[in-house]
Amino acid sequence: MRLRRALPVTMIVSGLLTISACSDSEGSDDSKKAKTSTAPTSSAQAKANAEAEKAGAITPQALEDAALSGKREGFDFKTVAKAEVEAGKDMKANKSECQPLASLAGGYTHIEAFSTVHRSLDPTDVKNATVGSMWLSTLSKKNAEQVMSDLRTSLKKCGDGFKTLGLSYKNVKTIRSPKLGDEALSYRITSVVAKQSVPMTYTVVRKDGVVLTFYGVNMLKAENGAIPKSVIEEQLKQLG
């Protein structure tokens, strides 16, 4: 059995995170649906772009344009529709000091971003058991720095875990972080879903006002769950 698609943990609740040995046959349909749902056609999008520009942050449209898509660095990057991840905004930790971790588990930063762009990451090599996702969040530089600072504090205070949306998290620990962007940190956390433990590896990188979160799962060997450094470097290059 292989974890076929890894997205923010809130999607486990809605049944979108599945364990399957089936071949990947959903790409084209997902892409068409996602492109339709993320098209920047509303006045709300224009307002968000204006607010980001005013704060000196990368605009939501520029963020969407910079997010990787297609097959790159051994993974197939697929657009994720907003409807699939919206529930993640409601991930409230039972301990306030653990909120930054809970928010990232849901696919968002605990400090509201001007926009967040999500991608699922499916390996192109059948021998690669690591699947995952990434999300890019655009904030003011000050808020992005605060996100990283608060996350570090959470990692120090929440080693024994926390609960949110009926899910339990345990064994929170920092691991060696790659030297990327302006600052970066990595950690591993285990979620417990229907009595099954799922070790998840996060790498969070800040570049100016953009917070990039990469989340990976390897059900065969948890130590191999981190999304490769080369993938993160490719996304950083795309941001410019």
Side-chain angles (χ1 to χ4, degrees):
M1 301 286 277
R2 192 181 95 176
L3 192 65
R4 181 183 176 197
R5 191 182 185 195
L7 291 164
V9 174
T10 182
M11 295 187 67
I12 299 176
V13 180
S14 61
L16 294 175
L17 185 63
T18 61
I19 296 177
S20 173
C22 298
S23 60
D24 185 5
S25 61
E26 61 189 23
S28 60
D29 287 343
D30 280 357
S31 296
K32 290 176 182 177
K33 293 177 183 177
K35 287 178 181 178
T36 300
S37 63
T38 57
T41 57
S42 68
S43 58
Q45 181 75 43
K47 181 180 179 181
N49 284 332
E51 290 177 347
E53 286 180 342
K54 185 177 180 180
I58 184 172
T59 65
Q61 184 56 53
L63 188 71
E64 177 65 44
D65 293 341
L68 293 176
S69 294
K71 296 179 180 180
R72 310 282 282 271
E73 295 296 325
F75 286 88
D76 190 3
F77 291 74
K78 298 178 182 178
T79 303
V80 180
K82 278 188 176 182
E84 294 186 12
V85 291
E86 281 294 302
K89 291 183 177 180
D90 296 323
M91 297 280 277
K92 301 298 181 185
N94 64 327
K95 303 175 186 176
S96 59
E97 63 269 26
C98 303
Q99 188 56 49
L101 290 166
S103 292
L104 284 184
Y108 293 89
T109 53
H110 68 290
I111 297 176
E112 187 175 1
F114 293 110
S115 179
T116 299
V117 174
H118 295 83
R119 296 285 189 268
S120 64
L121 277 65
D122 296 328
T124 55
D125 185 347
V126 294
K127 295 181 180 179
N128 183 2
T130 298
V131 295
S133 62
M134 76 168 189
W135 48 99
L136 315 179
S137 302
T138 175
L139 307 96
S140 67
K141 184 178 179 181
K142 180 180 179 180
N143 280 351
E145 291 173 340
Q146 192 64 51
V147 166
M148 300 298 286
S149 176
D150 291 347
L151 184 56
R152 286 190 173 89
T153 299
S154 283
L155 288 168
K156 291 177 181 178
K157 294 184 176 181
C158 301
D160 59 346
F162 58 93
K163 295 181 179 181
T164 177
L165 285 185
L167 301 174
S168 296
Y169 297 84
K170 61 181 183 179
N171 302 331
V172 182
K173 61 179 181 179
T174 57
I175 58 177
R176 186 174 180 178
S177 304
K179 294 182 179 180
L180 293 167
D182 296 315
E183 55 181 319
L185 60 86
S186 297
Y187 62 94
R188 187 166 293 125
I189 183 172
T190 299
S191 68
V192 182
V193 182
K195 296 183 179 181
Q196 180 177 9
S197 294
V198 181
M200 308 174 295
T201 303
Y202 287 80
T203 300
V204 187
V205 181
R206 180 185 67 81
K207 181 176 182 181
D208 296 323
V210 178
V211 175
L212 306 87
T213 303
F214 295 82
Y215 152 63
V217 176
N218 188 310
M219 296 297 287
L220 300 181
K221 193 172 183 180
E223 295 77 16
N224 293 341
I227 298 302
K229 182 179 179 180
S230 61
V231 173
I232 303 174
E233 289 175 328
E234 184 72 10
Q235 180 57 76
L236 286 169
K237 287 180 185 177
Q238 198 78 0
L239 281 171

